[in-house]
């Protein structure tokens, strides 16, 4: 027989007490009954209803929920999640209790619950401008339908247009800015502005928050139809006086399976030497423990070459999945429930959590200013 000790709110305590008295049983017996009869969600719903949320948001292209953590930390409640990858769905459900809906293209705006902020990334895709001049596109409120049809950004624009969130945050790789001779990024910004949003964007480096060089483009927008005054927003600036270091995220003891084999280590050294002779910088990245690592990518599971940890007296090693989680700023209790291969892909595709949290906090300042104007 095992014992479980939990802390609950006073209101939930009274709810359980009242229900147990009505059934003429102990509170412990009532809770066990609920668990056996799959009434856990009932207890969860009661607890959730008591929380004081500042705003609601939806999480598109959610991955494993790094953006969700950032927005929850500033008082948000996620009311809908979309993520098609089945392994990401497993990790997401294990950590948040919600299984994401699948393909974002199947989301109907009329079925999306009321919310305040839309967040998410989207794949970088080229847009076709066939038959649509820039002049005509900019002159029509629905011009984005022609320019972005068939892309996943179109789905973001469709949902923003149909639900009118007060604000949004979109994240993408740095190369979105230069993709397809800058046409892709220009189309994205034009589209969002055509939807009558004031748009701000900035390339930010996760190295301000974690010991990893990770540049991403962040696009923030505020609904001009909602705001009654000036829309003022500034992206966060670096505030850490102490730079995070790679050594800070490392485990003290690591399984030998993460150490590179002689064959793989020899191959990586030869590969790097070959490209060095050609005058380019391709090759492995041996991390400086007192410094910042290269960017963690989704391909890390292949050989780990972009971030290798030096080891005294033996070959370098890969990061463990838990170390990857720390490198992205995920909390220590974040559950890793998939294979190492999938975990590496998931963290490599994710966001730097504390950076997202800081952007969310700045967005709330702008929204709170408008709320104050309305009082």
């Amino acid at each position: 027989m095992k014992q479980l000790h939990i802390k609950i709110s006073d209101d939930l305590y009274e709810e359980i007490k009242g229900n147990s008295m009505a059934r003429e049983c102990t509170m412990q017996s009532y809770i066990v009954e609920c668990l056996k009869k799959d009434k856990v969600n009932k207890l969860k719903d009661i607890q959730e209803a008591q929380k004081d949320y500042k705003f609601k948001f939806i999480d598109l292209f959610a991955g494993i929920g790094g953006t969700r953590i950032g927005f929850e930390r500033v008082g948000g409640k996620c009311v809908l999640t979309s993520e098609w990858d089945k392994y990401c769905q497993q990790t997401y459900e294990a950590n948040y209790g919600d299984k994401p809906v699948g393909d974002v293209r199947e989301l109907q705006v009329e079925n999306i619950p009321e919310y305040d902020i839309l967040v998410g990334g989207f794949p970088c895709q080229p847009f076709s401008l066939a038959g649509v001049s820039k002049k005509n596109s900019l002159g029509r409120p629905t011009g984005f339908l022609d320019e972005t049809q068939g892309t996943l950004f179109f789905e973001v624009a469709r949902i923003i247009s149909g639900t009118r969130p007060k604000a949004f945050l979109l994240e993408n790789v740095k190369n979105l800015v230069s993709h397809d001779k800058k046409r892709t990024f220009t189309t994205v910004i034009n589209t969002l502005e055509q939807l009558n949003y004031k748009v701000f964007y900035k390339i930010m480096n996760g190295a301000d928050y974690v010991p990893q060089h990770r540049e991403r483009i962040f696009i923030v927008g505020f609904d001009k139809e909602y705001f009654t005054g000036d829309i003022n927003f500034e992206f966060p600036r670096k505030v850490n006086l102490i730079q995070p270091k790679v050594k800070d995220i490392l485990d003290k003891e690591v399984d030998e399976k993460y150490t590179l084999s002689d064959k793989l280590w020899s191959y990586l050294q030869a590969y790097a030497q070959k490209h060095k002779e050609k005058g380019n910088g391709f090759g492995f990245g041996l991390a400086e423990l007192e410094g910042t690592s290269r960017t963690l990518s989704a391909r890390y599971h292949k050989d780990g070459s972009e971030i290798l940890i030096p080891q005294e007296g033996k070959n370098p090693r890969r990061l463990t999945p838990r170390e990857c989680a720390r490198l992205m700023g995920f909390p220590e209790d974040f559950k890793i429930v998939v294979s190492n291969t999938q975990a590496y892909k998931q963290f490599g595709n994710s966001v730097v959590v504390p950076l997202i949290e800081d952007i969310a906090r700045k967005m709330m300042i702008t929204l709170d200013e408008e709320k104050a104007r309305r009082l």
Side-chain angles (χ1 to χ4, degrees):
M1 183 72 70
K2 301 290 185 182
Q3 289 188 348
L4 179 65
H5 300 277
I6 59 174
K7 291 184 178 180
I8 58 177
S9 67
D10 291 342
D11 289 343
L12 182 56
Y13 177 88
E14 293 300 328
E15 175 84 13
I16 296 173
K17 181 179 179 181
N19 288 342
S20 61
M21 290 178 65
R23 289 166 173 75
E24 297 182 345
C25 65
T26 65
M27 294 174 65
Q28 290 87 346
S29 298
Y30 171 69
I31 292 174
V32 170
E33 177 190 343
C34 287
L35 292 171
K36 287 182 177 180
K37 294 183 178 179
D38 196 26
K39 294 182 179 178
V40 178
N41 288 333
K42 168 65 175 174
L43 297 176
K44 178 183 175 183
D45 289 344
I46 295 172
Q47 185 80 73
E48 285 290 309
Q50 295 159 5
K51 292 183 179 180
D52 183 21
Y53 295 103
K54 295 180 180 178
F55 63 94
K56 298 177 181 179
F57 66 96
I58 65 173
D59 192 8
L60 306 182
F61 307 99
I64 56 174
T67 301
R68 173 171 177 156
I69 295 174
F71 275 79
E72 285 184 337
R73 285 178 176 174
V74 298
K77 178 181 181 179
C78 185
V79 295
L80 182 143
T81 303
S82 175
E83 170 55 51
W84 70 273
D85 183 88
K86 67 178 183 179
Y87 298 108
C88 285
Q89 288 181 342
Q90 291 173 15
T91 299
Y92 200 100
E93 186 173 16
N95 283 280
Y96 313 106
D98 304 325
K99 184 173 182 179
V101 298
D103 197 334
V104 69
R105 292 171 293 188
E106 298 178 1
L107 273 180
Q108 301 302 314
V109 294
E110 59 268 22
N111 296 329
I112 296 176
E114 184 179 343
Y115 71 102
D116 303 293
I117 301 175
L118 178 148
V119 302
F122 57 93
C124 180
Q125 298 171 282
F127 299 127
S128 173
L129 300 179
V132 182
S133 70
K134 182 176 181 181
K135 179 179 179 181
N136 288 338
S137 171
L138 294 177
R140 293 206 316 251
T142 56
F144 74 89
L145 291 173
D146 297 301
E147 289 198 66
T148 66
Q149 183 73 50
T151 68
L152 290 174
F153 173 73
F154 166 82
E155 303 301 334
V156 176
R158 174 180 66 86
I159 292 171
I160 290 176
S161 177
T163 58
R164 300 302 306 181
K166 297 171 184 174
F168 60 75
L169 169 65
L170 305 179
E171 176 267 350
N172 214 300
V173 295
K174 175 185 175 182
N175 288 344
L176 175 68
V177 177
S178 57
H179 186 256
D180 194 21
K181 299 180 179 179
K182 298 185 178 180
R183 290 174 62 217
T184 301
F185 188 67
T186 298
T187 302
V188 167
I189 299 303
N190 285 345
T191 296
L192 297 171
E193 291 178 341
Q194 288 172 40
L195 293 175
N196 208 18
Y197 281 78
K198 186 169 183 178
V199 180
F200 305 82
Y201 57 86
K202 184 178 181 180
I203 293 174
M204 300 191 69
N205 195 338
D208 292 344
Y209 300 83
V210 294
Q212 175 192 178
H213 178 78
R214 191 179 190 87
E215 291 185 303
R216 292 293 185 269
I217 181 72
F218 295 94
I219 306 170
V220 171
F222 297 94
D223 185 6
K224 292 181 180 180
E225 297 177 10
Y226 168 74
F227 279 77
T228 59
D230 293 337
I231 302 175
N232 302 305
F233 174 78
E234 289 186 0
F235 282 95
R237 299 177 182 179
K238 181 178 179 179
V239 294
N240 289 335
L241 298 178
I242 301 177
Q243 183 69 32
K245 299 177 181 179
V246 170
K247 69 176 185 179
D248 298 331
I249 61 98
L250 300 181
D251 288 322
K252 293 182 179 180
E253 296 184 7
V254 177
D255 194 299
E256 283 297 318
K257 69 180 181 181
Y258 295 102
T259 296
L260 300 189
S261 67
D262 291 339
K263 181 178 180 180
L264 178 55
W265 180 223
S266 296
Y267 167 79
L268 291 177
Q269 292 179 94
Y271 182 83
Q273 182 61 34
K274 180 178 69 174
H275 283 282
K276 182 178 180 180
E277 292 170 356
K278 292 182 179 180
N280 60 50
F282 294 113
F284 61 86
L286 203 59
E288 171 55 58
L289 301 188
E290 294 288 338
T292 301
S293 77
R294 290 184 181 181
T295 302
L296 180 69
S297 72
R299 69 169 298 282
Y300 190 75
H301 69 95
K302 293 184 177 181
D303 54 31
S305 61
E306 65 258 42
I307 306 175
L308 293 175
I309 304 303
Q311 300 185 102
E312 188 174 350
K314 54 184 176 181
N315 297 343
R317 67 171 179 85
R318 296 179 174 89
L319 293 168
T320 68
R322 177 57 63 189
E323 290 170 335
C324 289
R326 296 187 190 120
L327 195 61
M328 300 302 297
F330 278 79
E332 199 65 23
D333 61 356
F334 188 84
K335 299 181 182 69
I336 301 173
V337 297
V338 293
S339 67
N340 281 5
T341 295
Q342 291 300 326
Y344 286 136
K345 289 181 180 179
Q346 290 175 3
F347 290 118
N349 279 325
S350 192
V351 295
V352 174
V353 174
L355 172 54
I356 295 294
E357 180 182 352
D358 254 12
I359 295 176
R361 187 171 289 108
K362 287 288 189 177
M363 291 176 68
M364 290 311 300
I365 292 174
T366 302
L367 290 168
D368 286 344
E369 287 176 353
E370 174 58 26
K371 188 181 297 183
R373 278 193 289 259
R374 292 166 174 261
L375 293 178

